[in-house]
Every structure is written in C-alpha cells, then in structure tokens.
Amino acid sequence: INKYDPVCVKYLMTKLPDPLTPTGTGRGVAFDKTGTYLAVAHSSNPYITIYKRNEDTFTKLPAPSGLPTGTGYGVAFDPTGAYLAVANGSNPYITIYKRNSDTFTKLPAPSELPTGIGRGVAFDRTGTYLAVAHYSDPYITIYKRSGDTFTKLPAPSTLPTGDGYGVAFDPTGTYLAVAHYNSPYITIYKRS
C-alpha cells in the first residue's frame, strides 16, 4: 500500500463508533495537542461538547460550568491544553475555559469584547496570544494572555475588508492570517 496514493489512503482510515452526539450541527472542532481532549462547537445548547479519548473511545464529559451564550462556531485549545476558547454567536462572542484535569471552568469574559458574532478562534504556539475572527468592524480582535486574564490589544492599523470567518497563527506565532468576506478575502499580519 502506498500511503501517498489517494486510492490507498481511503483504506487506512477506519470509522470509529459514534460517541454521544452533540445537540446540534457541528460548526467547529479541535483536539488538544496530546489528542486526549476533543471539543466540538455546535448550534444548540450547550453549544460546546467536550470528549475525553481513551484509545479509540471518546467519552463525553459533563458540560462545562458557564456555557457559551449562543451557537458555537469556532473552537481552539491553547498548546498546553490548559485553555479552550469558543467563538460564539451571542454576546460576549468569545467564551474561554481553563481546564483542571477533566473539568473545564469558564473564565470571566475579557473586559473588551469582539464587536460581533465570533466565527473563528486561534491561539499562537505559546498560548500567549488569542485571535478571534468576527462579524463587525474591526473583524479581528487579538488578546494577550497573562495568567488567566486576556487583555485586548489595539486593532491592527490595516483591518480585514469584511466579516472575519477564520483565523490561524503560523507555527512560529509570527504570522496571523484572517479569512474574511470581501476581496482580497485573506489578510495576513506579521507580529513584532
């Protein structure tokens, strides 16, 4: 079998039994870096479902304390697996949890919030920076974490040209890309 041949690759993936399912349409999904935890952002209450993996079995954990306030669209773990962020459809548009063992506890919302529906969310490789792509100007909100506090940074001098849908840091944390509505559809930033 050639693992690079698409015809052969389909035989290398085996569907696992379905876990207890989320309560609505899945909108975003993320594993922590160890592959132990899997989070699914979805369209119905509780808007976030978290699983713990043991070999090939995914067990649904109890809903975290303090749920997102609306449809979960994007979800991301920080590189340590200690923080989980959910971009969601109702104010405050971002919900951040801190993990202690299998318990996810909601942190207080940042003092300055995204200005519209959160669609995408990403941590940099250090877990220091958290970016949220969202509807409404400035379309991207970036936070710097100190301990459990997320402080909004000033908006970049040149903004995306429309509603933000997705966001990603490169592996070094130097570059940040935002996918958005309106041409050029992608805006890339360099951090210094």
Side-chain angles (χ1 to χ4, degrees):
I1 292 178
N2 177 351
K3 68 180 180 179
Y4 300 106
D5 181 346
V7 174
C8 292
V9 169
K10 74 178 183 179
Y11 297 107
L12 298 176
M13 300 301 290
T14 303
K15 183 189 175 302
L16 297 176
D18 294 335
L20 290 176
T21 58
T23 56
T25 303
R27 304 282 184 164
V29 63
F31 278 100
D32 77 319
K33 85 170 190 175
T34 69
T36 303
Y37 297 96
L38 170 65
V40 182
H42 49 84
S43 62
S44 299
N45 193 318
Y47 308 113
I48 183 76
T49 299
I50 305 167
Y51 300 93
K52 185 173 183 180
R53 183 184 63 80
N54 182 2
E55 295 187 9
D56 290 344
T57 301
F58 289 79
T59 303
K60 184 178 172 182
L61 296 177
S65 63
L67 298 175
T69 53
T71 296
Y73 288 102
V75 61
F77 283 95
D78 84 308
T80 69
Y83 298 94
L84 173 67
V86 183
N88 55 269
S90 297
N91 193 322
Y93 308 116
I94 181 75
T95 305
I96 305 168
Y97 298 95
K98 185 170 186 181
R99 183 182 64 80
N100 182 2
S101 188
D102 293 344
T103 302
F104 290 78
T105 302
K106 182 180 172 189
L107 295 177
S111 59
E112 294 183 71
L113 301 173
T115 56
I117 295 170
R119 297 297 295 225
V121 62
F123 281 96
D124 80 317
R125 70 179 180 90
T126 68
T128 303
Y129 296 97
L130 171 66
V132 183
H134 54 82
Y135 287 4
S136 302
D137 186 359
Y139 311 115
I140 181 76
T141 299
I142 304 165
Y143 296 95
K144 185 173 183 180
R145 183 182 63 79
S146 177
D148 292 343
T149 301
F150 289 78
T151 303
K152 182 182 175 290
L153 298 177
S157 57
T158 302
L159 299 175
T161 55
D163 293 339
Y165 286 93
V167 61
F169 283 95
D170 85 307
T172 70
T174 303
Y175 298 95
L176 174 66
V178 184
H180 54 80
Y181 193 78
N182 294 335
S183 181
Y185 308 112
I186 186 165
T187 300
I188 304 168
Y189 298 97
K190 185 175 183 179
R191 182 179 63 80
S192 64

